[in-house]
Protein backbone atom coordinates (compact mmCIF):
# COMPACT_ATOMS: atom_id res chain seq x y z
CA UNK A 1 0.00 0.00 0.00
CA UNK A 2 2.90 2.37 0.78
CA UNK A 3 4.48 1.71 -2.61
CA UNK A 4 1.14 2.23 -4.33
CA UNK A 5 0.51 5.46 -2.45
CA UNK A 6 3.92 6.98 -3.26
CA UNK A 7 3.74 5.91 -6.89
CA UNK A 8 0.21 7.29 -7.16
CA UNK A 9 1.20 10.71 -5.80
CA UNK A 10 4.29 10.95 -8.04
CA UNK A 11 2.40 9.83 -11.15
CA UNK A 12 -0.46 12.22 -10.44
CA UNK A 13 1.87 15.19 -9.95
CA UNK A 14 3.82 14.37 -13.13
CA UNK A 15 0.70 13.75 -15.24
CA UNK A 16 -0.93 16.91 -13.92
CA UNK A 17 2.21 18.94 -14.62
CA UNK A 18 2.42 17.52 -18.15
CA UNK A 19 -1.16 18.43 -19.00
CA UNK A 20 -0.44 22.02 -17.97
CA UNK A 21 2.27 22.40 -20.62
CA UNK A 22 1.32 24.46 -23.69
CA UNK A 23 1.86 21.43 -25.93
CA UNK A 24 -0.53 19.24 -23.96
CA UNK A 25 -3.06 22.04 -23.69
CA UNK A 26 -3.01 22.63 -27.44
CA UNK A 27 -3.01 19.03 -28.62
CA UNK A 28 -4.88 17.24 -25.86
CA UNK A 29 -6.81 19.36 -23.33
CA UNK A 30 -8.43 21.86 -25.70
CA UNK A 31 -9.52 19.25 -28.31
CA UNK A 32 -10.76 17.05 -25.45
CA UNK A 33 -12.77 19.93 -23.98
CA UNK A 34 -14.19 20.94 -27.37
CA UNK A 35 -15.21 17.32 -27.98
CA UNK A 36 -16.91 17.27 -24.58
CA UNK A 37 -18.87 20.42 -25.49
CA UNK A 38 -19.85 18.91 -28.86
CA UNK A 39 -20.94 15.59 -27.35
CA UNK A 40 -22.92 17.33 -24.59
CA UNK A 41 -24.58 19.61 -27.15
CA UNK A 42 -25.40 16.66 -29.42
CA UNK A 43 -27.17 14.91 -26.56
CA UNK A 44 -29.02 18.04 -25.48
CA UNK A 45 -30.24 18.79 -29.01
CA UNK A 46 -32.19 15.52 -28.91
CA UNK A 47 -34.71 17.37 -26.72
CA UNK A 48 -33.64 21.02 -27.03
CA UNK A 49 -32.77 22.21 -30.52
CA UNK A 50 -31.78 25.69 -29.42
CA UNK A 51 -28.34 24.72 -28.09
CA UNK A 52 -25.15 25.13 -30.09
CA UNK A 53 -21.52 24.35 -29.37
CA UNK A 54 -18.73 26.74 -30.25
CA UNK A 55 -15.35 25.31 -29.29
CA UNK A 56 -15.53 24.65 -25.55
CA UNK A 57 -18.65 26.83 -25.15
CA UNK A 58 -22.26 25.60 -25.00
CA UNK A 59 -24.78 28.32 -25.76
CA UNK A 60 -28.54 28.66 -25.88
CA UNK A 61 -29.71 30.53 -28.98
CA UNK A 62 -33.00 31.21 -27.18
CA UNK A 63 -31.82 33.23 -24.17
CA UNK A 64 -28.10 33.66 -24.91
CA UNK A 65 -27.03 31.76 -21.79
CA UNK A 66 -23.66 30.10 -22.28
CA UNK A 67 -21.22 28.01 -20.30
CA UNK A 68 -17.55 27.65 -21.07
CA UNK A 69 -16.09 24.31 -20.06
CA UNK A 70 -12.88 25.08 -18.21
CA UNK A 71 -10.23 23.12 -16.32
CA UNK A 72 -11.82 21.21 -13.48
CA UNK A 73 -15.04 20.61 -15.43
CA UNK A 74 -13.62 18.89 -18.49
CA UNK A 75 -12.93 15.61 -16.71
CA UNK A 76 -9.22 15.75 -17.47
CA UNK A 77 -8.21 15.87 -13.82
CA UNK A 78 -10.56 13.02 -12.87
CA UNK A 79 -9.15 10.98 -15.74
CA UNK A 80 -5.60 11.66 -14.59
CA UNK A 81 -6.48 10.58 -11.05
CA UNK A 82 -7.92 7.31 -12.37
CA UNK A 83 -4.93 6.86 -14.69
CA UNK A 84 -2.46 7.39 -11.84
CA UNK A 85 -4.41 5.09 -9.50
CA UNK A 86 -4.56 2.25 -12.04
CA UNK A 87 -0.96 2.63 -13.21
CA UNK A 88 0.31 2.73 -9.62
CA UNK A 89 -1.59 -0.37 -8.56
CA UNK A 90 0.25 -3.69 -9.06
CA UNK A 91 -1.72 -5.38 -11.82
CA UNK A 92 -1.02 -6.91 -15.24
CA UNK A 93 -0.79 -4.35 -18.04
CA UNK A 94 -3.65 -5.98 -19.92
CA UNK A 95 -5.93 -5.43 -16.95
CA UNK A 96 -4.71 -1.86 -16.59
CA UNK A 97 -5.48 -1.16 -20.25
CA UNK A 98 -8.96 -2.65 -20.06
CA UNK A 99 -9.63 -0.90 -16.75
CA UNK A 100 -8.50 2.43 -18.15
CA UNK A 101 -10.66 2.21 -21.27
CA UNK A 102 -13.81 1.26 -19.34
CA UNK A 103 -12.98 3.53 -16.39
CA UNK A 104 -12.31 6.63 -18.48
CA UNK A 105 -15.54 5.98 -20.35
CA UNK A 106 -17.45 5.74 -17.06
CA UNK A 107 -15.91 8.97 -15.76
CA UNK A 108 -16.61 10.83 -19.01
CA UNK A 109 -20.22 9.66 -19.19
CA UNK A 110 -20.84 11.14 -15.74
CA UNK A 111 -18.93 14.24 -16.74
CA UNK A 112 -21.20 14.77 -19.74
CA UNK A 113 -24.11 14.55 -17.31
CA UNK A 114 -22.36 17.15 -15.13
CA UNK A 115 -21.91 19.57 -18.03
CA UNK A 116 -25.52 19.20 -19.20
CA UNK A 117 -26.94 19.54 -15.69
CA UNK A 118 -24.83 22.63 -14.99
CA UNK A 119 -25.93 24.17 -18.28
CA UNK A 120 -29.57 23.96 -17.23
CA UNK A 121 -28.99 24.72 -13.55
CA UNK A 122 -27.25 27.93 -14.58
CA UNK A 123 -30.32 29.05 -16.51
CA UNK A 124 -32.62 28.18 -13.61
CA UNK A 125 -30.83 29.46 -10.50
CA UNK A 126 -27.31 30.85 -10.28
CA UNK A 127 -26.87 30.02 -6.58
CA UNK A 128 -27.77 26.38 -7.18
CA UNK A 129 -25.48 26.36 -10.19
CA UNK A 130 -22.58 27.64 -8.08
CA UNK A 131 -23.20 25.04 -5.40
CA UNK A 132 -23.42 22.22 -7.89
CA UNK A 133 -20.46 23.51 -9.88
CA UNK A 134 -18.04 24.29 -7.06
CA UNK A 135 -18.87 21.59 -4.53
CA UNK A 136 -21.38 18.85 -5.30
CA UNK A 137 -20.33 17.72 -8.76
CA UNK A 138 -16.67 17.77 -7.76
CA UNK A 139 -17.44 15.26 -5.03
CA UNK A 140 -19.68 13.14 -7.26
CA UNK A 141 -17.05 12.88 -10.00
CA UNK A 142 -14.41 11.83 -7.48
CA UNK A 143 -16.86 9.31 -6.00
CA UNK A 144 -17.26 7.95 -9.53
CA UNK A 145 -13.48 7.65 -9.89
CA UNK A 146 -13.24 5.93 -6.52
CA UNK A 147 -16.00 3.43 -7.31
CA UNK A 148 -14.57 2.64 -10.74
CA UNK A 149 -11.18 2.02 -9.12
CA UNK A 150 -12.71 -0.16 -6.39
CA UNK A 151 -14.54 -2.30 -8.94
CA UNK A 152 -11.37 -2.61 -11.01
CA UNK A 153 -9.19 -3.49 -8.00
CA UNK A 154 -11.59 -6.32 -7.14
CA UNK A 155 -11.16 -7.85 -10.54
CA UNK A 156 -7.43 -7.63 -11.19
CA UNK A 157 -5.24 -10.66 -10.45
CA UNK A 158 -2.62 -10.34 -7.76
CA UNK A 159 0.95 -9.78 -8.91
CA UNK A 160 2.42 -8.06 -5.85
CA UNK A 161 2.86 -11.06 -3.58
CA UNK A 162 5.16 -13.94 -4.57
CA UNK A 163 3.49 -17.31 -4.19
CA UNK A 164 0.00 -15.92 -4.36
CA UNK A 165 -2.42 -18.14 -6.24
CA UNK A 166 -2.93 -17.04 -9.85
CA UNK A 167 -6.11 -15.09 -10.36
CA UNK A 168 -6.37 -14.06 -6.74
CA UNK A 169 -7.17 -10.37 -6.27
CA UNK A 170 -4.55 -8.09 -4.71
CA UNK A 171 -4.66 -7.55 -0.99
CA UNK A 172 -5.93 -4.06 -0.27
CA UNK A 173 -5.15 -4.45 3.39
CA UNK A 174 -1.48 -5.11 2.75
CA UNK A 175 0.54 -2.48 4.52
CA UNK B 1 -24.73 4.50 14.71
CA UNK B 2 -22.80 3.26 17.70
CA UNK B 3 -19.08 3.31 18.21
CA UNK B 4 -18.91 0.22 20.37
CA UNK B 5 -21.62 -1.87 18.83
CA UNK B 6 -20.98 -4.52 16.23
CA UNK B 7 -19.71 -3.00 12.99
CA UNK B 8 -22.68 -2.63 10.68
CA UNK B 9 -20.39 -2.29 7.74
CA UNK B 10 -21.69 -1.56 4.29
CA UNK B 11 -19.26 -4.27 3.31
CA UNK B 12 -21.24 -6.78 5.32
CA UNK B 13 -24.25 -8.77 4.23
CA UNK B 14 -27.86 -7.81 4.87
CA UNK B 15 -30.57 -10.26 3.94
CA UNK B 16 -33.24 -7.59 4.33
CA UNK B 17 -31.75 -5.35 1.63
CA UNK B 18 -33.74 -4.82 -1.56
CA UNK B 19 -32.46 -6.72 -4.58
CA UNK B 20 -30.51 -3.84 -6.11
CA UNK B 21 -28.76 -3.24 -2.79
CA UNK B 22 -27.56 -6.82 -2.36
CA UNK B 23 -24.07 -5.89 -3.52
CA UNK B 24 -21.96 -4.41 -0.69
CA UNK B 25 -20.36 -1.95 -3.09
CA UNK B 26 -23.73 -0.80 -4.43
CA UNK B 27 -24.94 -0.45 -0.86
CA UNK B 28 -21.88 1.60 0.04
CA UNK B 29 -22.28 3.89 -2.98
CA UNK B 30 -26.00 4.36 -2.27
CA UNK B 31 -25.22 5.19 1.36
CA UNK B 32 -22.48 7.65 0.33
CA UNK B 33 -24.81 9.42 -2.11
CA UNK B 34 -27.50 9.53 0.59
CA UNK B 35 -25.07 11.00 3.13
CA UNK B 36 -23.73 13.68 0.77
CA UNK B 37 -26.67 16.13 1.16
CA UNK B 38 -26.51 15.72 4.94
CA UNK B 39 -22.77 16.24 5.23
CA UNK B 40 -22.74 19.10 2.71
CA UNK B 41 -25.58 20.82 4.60
CA UNK B 42 -23.81 20.45 7.93
CA UNK B 43 -20.52 21.58 6.39
CA UNK B 44 -22.08 24.70 4.91
CA UNK B 45 -23.87 25.63 8.13
CA UNK B 46 -20.82 24.95 10.29
CA UNK B 47 -18.40 26.39 7.72
CA UNK B 48 -17.07 29.27 9.82
CA UNK B 49 -16.38 26.88 12.74
CA UNK B 50 -14.92 24.06 10.65
CA UNK B 51 -12.72 26.50 8.77
CA UNK B 52 -11.48 28.31 11.85
CA UNK B 53 -8.33 26.12 12.09
CA UNK B 54 -7.72 26.78 8.40
CA UNK B 55 -7.86 30.51 9.04
CA UNK B 56 -5.40 30.15 11.92
CA UNK B 57 -3.02 28.09 9.83
CA UNK B 58 -3.25 30.49 6.90
CA UNK B 59 -2.55 33.44 9.21
CA UNK B 60 0.41 31.64 10.73
CA UNK B 61 1.94 30.75 7.37
CA UNK B 62 1.19 34.17 5.86
CA UNK B 63 2.83 35.90 8.82
CA UNK B 64 5.89 33.63 8.74
CA UNK B 65 6.35 33.33 4.99
CA UNK B 66 4.79 36.43 3.47
CA UNK B 67 4.88 38.96 6.28
CA UNK B 68 6.16 41.63 3.90
CA UNK B 69 3.17 41.14 1.59
CA UNK B 70 0.29 40.58 4.01
CA UNK B 71 -0.67 43.36 6.40
CA UNK B 72 -3.81 41.74 7.79
CA UNK B 73 -6.24 38.91 7.13
CA UNK B 74 -9.91 39.57 7.79
CA UNK B 75 -12.58 36.89 7.85
CA UNK B 76 -16.27 36.99 7.16
CA UNK B 77 -18.08 33.67 7.41
CA UNK B 78 -16.17 31.25 5.22
CA UNK B 79 -14.35 33.96 3.28
CA UNK B 80 -10.96 35.50 3.94
CA UNK B 81 -9.78 38.90 2.79
CA UNK B 82 -6.03 39.34 2.52
CA UNK B 83 -5.17 43.00 3.04
CA UNK B 84 -1.78 43.36 1.41
CA UNK B 85 0.99 45.93 1.66
CA UNK B 86 0.93 46.31 -2.14
CA UNK B 87 -0.13 49.57 -3.76
CA UNK B 88 -2.71 49.56 -6.57
CA UNK B 89 -0.15 51.04 -8.93
CA UNK B 90 1.35 54.23 -10.30
CA UNK B 91 -1.07 57.13 -10.41
CA UNK B 92 -3.16 55.82 -7.52
CA UNK B 93 -2.56 58.02 -4.51
CA UNK B 94 -4.01 55.91 -1.75
CA UNK B 95 -5.26 52.44 -0.94
CA UNK B 96 -3.85 48.95 -0.81
CA UNK B 97 -4.57 45.78 -2.74
CA UNK B 98 -6.83 43.18 -1.13
CA UNK B 99 -7.61 39.64 -2.26
CA UNK B 100 -10.79 37.74 -1.35
CA UNK B 101 -10.69 33.95 -1.08
CA UNK B 102 -13.68 31.67 -0.52
CA UNK B 103 -12.33 28.89 1.68
CA UNK B 104 -15.28 26.60 0.91
CA UNK B 105 -13.97 26.13 -2.64
CA UNK B 106 -11.00 24.25 -1.21
CA UNK B 107 -12.83 22.54 1.64
CA UNK B 108 -15.54 20.44 -0.04
CA UNK B 109 -13.36 17.42 0.69
CA UNK B 110 -14.56 17.62 4.30
CA UNK B 111 -18.20 16.68 3.60
CA UNK B 112 -17.06 14.27 0.88
CA UNK B 113 -14.79 12.43 3.30
CA UNK B 114 -17.52 12.47 5.96
CA UNK B 115 -20.06 10.97 3.54
CA UNK B 116 -17.65 8.18 2.55
CA UNK B 117 -16.78 7.47 6.18
CA UNK B 118 -20.38 7.43 7.37
CA UNK B 119 -21.37 5.23 4.42
CA UNK B 120 -18.70 2.67 5.37
CA UNK B 121 -20.18 2.51 8.90
CA UNK B 122 -17.02 1.32 10.58
CA UNK B 123 -16.98 1.01 14.35
CA UNK B 124 -14.62 3.92 15.06
CA UNK B 125 -16.20 6.27 12.53
CA UNK B 126 -16.04 9.36 14.72
CA UNK B 127 -12.30 8.92 15.27
CA UNK B 128 -11.85 8.51 11.54
CA UNK B 129 -13.86 11.68 10.95
CA UNK B 130 -11.69 13.61 13.38
CA UNK B 131 -8.47 12.27 11.86
CA UNK B 132 -9.68 12.99 8.34
CA UNK B 133 -10.64 16.54 9.29
CA UNK B 134 -7.21 17.13 10.83
CA UNK B 135 -5.44 15.87 7.71
CA UNK B 136 -7.65 17.80 5.29
CA UNK B 137 -7.21 21.18 7.07
CA UNK B 138 -3.60 21.81 5.89
CA UNK B 139 -4.56 21.00 2.30
CA UNK B 140 -7.39 23.54 2.47
CA UNK B 141 -4.85 26.06 3.76
CA UNK B 142 -2.64 25.18 0.77
CA UNK B 143 -5.48 26.01 -1.63
CA UNK B 144 -6.36 29.26 0.13
CA UNK B 145 -2.76 30.49 0.23
CA UNK B 146 -2.08 29.48 -3.35
CA UNK B 147 -5.23 31.32 -4.41
CA UNK B 148 -4.03 34.45 -2.62
CA UNK B 149 -0.55 34.21 -4.13
CA UNK B 150 -2.02 33.63 -7.59
CA UNK B 151 -4.16 36.73 -7.02
CA UNK B 152 -1.23 39.03 -6.38
CA UNK B 153 1.50 37.44 -8.51
CA UNK B 154 -0.33 36.22 -11.60
CA UNK B 155 -3.90 37.51 -11.88
CA UNK B 156 -3.06 41.09 -10.91
CA UNK B 157 -1.78 43.89 -13.14
CA UNK B 158 1.91 44.11 -13.93
CA UNK B 159 2.17 47.16 -11.66
CA UNK B 160 0.99 45.10 -8.68
CA UNK B 161 2.74 41.84 -9.58
CA UNK B 162 6.08 43.63 -9.90
CA UNK B 163 5.86 44.77 -6.25
CA UNK B 164 5.68 41.17 -5.00
CA UNK B 165 9.27 40.50 -5.99
CA UNK B 166 8.53 36.99 -7.21
CA UNK B 167 10.85 35.72 -9.92
CA UNK B 168 9.62 33.97 -13.06
CA UNK B 169 10.21 30.49 -11.68
CA UNK B 170 8.49 31.43 -8.41
CA UNK B 171 5.43 32.57 -10.37
CA UNK B 172 5.48 29.23 -12.23
CA UNK B 173 5.61 27.45 -8.90
CA UNK B 174 2.68 29.52 -7.61
CA UNK B 175 0.69 28.72 -10.75
CA UNK B 176 1.33 24.99 -10.31
CA UNK B 177 0.54 25.14 -6.57
CA UNK B 178 -2.71 26.96 -7.33
CA UNK B 179 -3.78 24.57 -10.09
CA UNK B 180 -2.84 21.49 -8.07
CA UNK B 181 -4.39 22.97 -4.93
CA UNK B 182 -7.67 23.79 -6.62
CA UNK B 183 -8.15 21.07 -9.24
CA UNK B 184 -6.58 18.00 -7.62
CA UNK B 185 -6.10 18.22 -3.85
CA UNK B 186 -9.63 19.16 -2.68
CA UNK B 187 -11.16 16.04 -4.26
CA UNK B 188 -8.25 13.60 -4.23
CA UNK B 189 -7.05 14.06 -0.63
CA UNK B 190 -10.34 12.91 0.96
CA UNK B 191 -10.62 9.95 -1.43
CA UNK B 192 -7.04 8.79 -0.84
CA UNK B 193 -7.36 9.37 2.88
CA UNK B 194 -10.56 7.37 2.98
CA UNK B 195 -8.88 4.47 1.17
CA UNK B 196 -5.91 4.56 3.56
CA UNK B 197 -8.16 4.64 6.63
CA UNK B 198 -10.58 1.95 5.41
CA UNK B 199 -8.28 -0.81 4.23
CA UNK B 200 -10.01 -3.40 6.38
CA UNK B 201 -13.40 -2.31 5.06
CA UNK B 202 -12.13 -2.47 1.48
CA UNK B 203 -10.70 -5.92 2.10
CA UNK B 204 -14.11 -7.10 3.33
CA UNK B 205 -15.75 -5.46 0.34
CA UNK B 206 -13.38 -7.32 -1.97
CA UNK B 207 -13.89 -10.69 -0.30
CA UNK B 208 -17.68 -10.45 -0.29
CA UNK B 209 -17.87 -9.37 -3.89
CA UNK B 210 -19.51 -6.39 -5.52
Amino acid sequence: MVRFFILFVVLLAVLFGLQLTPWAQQWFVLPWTSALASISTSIVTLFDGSIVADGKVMRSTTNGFAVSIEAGCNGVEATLVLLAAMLAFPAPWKHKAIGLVIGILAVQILNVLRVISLFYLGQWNYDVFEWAHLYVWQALIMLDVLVVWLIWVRRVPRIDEPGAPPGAPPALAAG
Amino acid sequence: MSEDGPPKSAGGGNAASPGFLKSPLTRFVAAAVAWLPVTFGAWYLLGPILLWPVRLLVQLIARAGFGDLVAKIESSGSALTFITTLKPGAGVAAGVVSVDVNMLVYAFGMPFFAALTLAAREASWWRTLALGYAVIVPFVAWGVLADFLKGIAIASSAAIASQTGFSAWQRELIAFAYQFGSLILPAVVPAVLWVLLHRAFLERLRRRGA
Side-chain angles (χ1 to χ4, degrees):
Chain A
M1 184 60 100
V2 173
R3 179 188 168 277
F4 161 74
F5 176 70
I6 293 170
L7 199 53
F8 168 74
V9 171
V10 171
L11 276 172
L12 185 57
V14 170
L15 288 170
F16 184 74
L18 284 176
Q19 68 90 28
L20 287 176
T21 61
W23 183 88
Q25 288 286 319
Q26 183 186 346
W27 294 103
F28 171 65
V29 177
L30 284 178
W32 173 296
T33 310
S34 296
L36 175 62
S38 295
I39 291 167
S40 301
T41 303
S42 300
I43 293 170
V44 167
T45 49
L46 293 175
F47 56 87
D48 185 352
S50 67
I51 313 302
V52 292
D54 181 11
K56 59 180 183 177
V57 175
M58 277 179 76
R59 193 176 67 249
S60 165
T61 55
T62 308
N63 58 19
F65 181 84
V67 292
S68 175
I69 304 171
E70 300 293 338
C73 283
N74 55 12
V76 169
E77 294 78 15
T79 300
L80 294 182
V81 172
L82 187 67
L83 186 63
M86 286 188 177
L87 289 180
F89 201 81
W93 283 102
K94 183 185 161 193
H95 288 77
K96 291 186 189 206
I98 295 170
L100 281 171
V101 170
I102 297 172
I104 289 170
L105 197 62
V107 170
Q108 291 309 317
I109 287 171
L110 191 66
N111 203 47
V112 166
L113 190 63
R114 160 161 73 170
V115 170
I116 294 172
S117 72
L118 289 175
F119 182 74
Y120 284 101
L121 283 175
Q123 294 176 71
W124 172 60
N125 184 308
Y126 187 74
D127 289 334
V128 176
F129 167 82
E130 280 288 272
W131 248 84
H133 175 222
L134 294 175
Y135 315 129
V136 178
W137 266 116
Q138 306 275 16
L140 288 176
I141 292 289
M142 193 46 58
L143 179 62
D144 188 26
V145 171
L146 180 64
V147 170
V148 165
W149 183 76
L150 287 175
I151 293 171
W152 176 77
V153 159
R154 279 190 61 256
R155 292 165 192 273
V156 295
R158 179 199 307 240
I159 62 169
D160 57 335
E161 291 180 17
L172 275 164
Chain B
M1 203 172 292
S2 160
E3 185 217 342
D4 297 314
K8 296 169 185 171
S9 166
N14 186 352
S17 298
F20 72 98
L21 288 179
K22 281 283 197 306
S23 152
L25 184 57
T26 309
R27 209 157 50 239
F28 164 71
V29 174
V33 171
W35 272 112
L36 277 174
V38 179
T39 56
F40 264 99
W43 165 76
Y44 187 72
L45 291 174
L46 299 173
I49 299 167
L50 290 171
L51 295 171
W52 179 73
V54 175
R55 180 162 65 89
L56 282 186
L57 191 57
V58 165
Q59 283 177 326
L60 196 70
I61 297 169
R63 198 171 295 145
F66 311 104
D68 55 332
L69 296 174
V70 181
K72 193 166 64 170
I73 299 175
E74 295 174 349
S75 66
S76 171
S78 300
L80 289 183
T81 300
F82 292 79
I83 312 291
T84 72
T85 56
L86 307 172
K87 304 296 175 195
V92 182
V96 288
V97 173
S98 68
V99 178
D100 294 324
V101 179
N102 176 10
M103 290 191 283
L104 291 175
V105 172
Y106 305 100
F108 67 82
M110 290 176 181
F112 179 42
F113 177 80
L116 293 177
T117 300
L118 293 169
R121 301 180 71 187
E122 290 287 81
S124 55
W125 59 271
W126 66 271
R127 253 177 264 150
T128 307
L129 280 183
L131 181 60
Y133 171 72
V135 173
I136 288 171
V137 161
F139 290 99
V140 181
W142 171 327
V144 171
L145 278 164
D147 193 339
F148 158 67
L149 291 172
K150 182 263 300 178
I152 58 169
I154 297 166
S156 62
S157 66
I160 296 171
S162 63
Q163 297 172 57
T164 62
F166 290 123
S167 61
W169 73 266
Q170 284 173 322
R171 281 201 294 275
E172 289 292 328
L173 197 62
I174 288 169
F176 184 83
Y178 168 70
Q179 297 270 6
F180 203 69
S182 59
L183 297 176
I184 295 289
L185 293 180
V188 172
V189 167
V192 170
L193 193 58
W194 181 83
V195 168
L196 291 175
L197 295 175
H198 289 82
R199 281 180 287 171
F201 168 78
L202 294 172
E203 187 64 16
R204 283 202 304 279
L205 203 67
R206 181 188 65 74
R207 279 203 301 267
R208 287 170 188 174

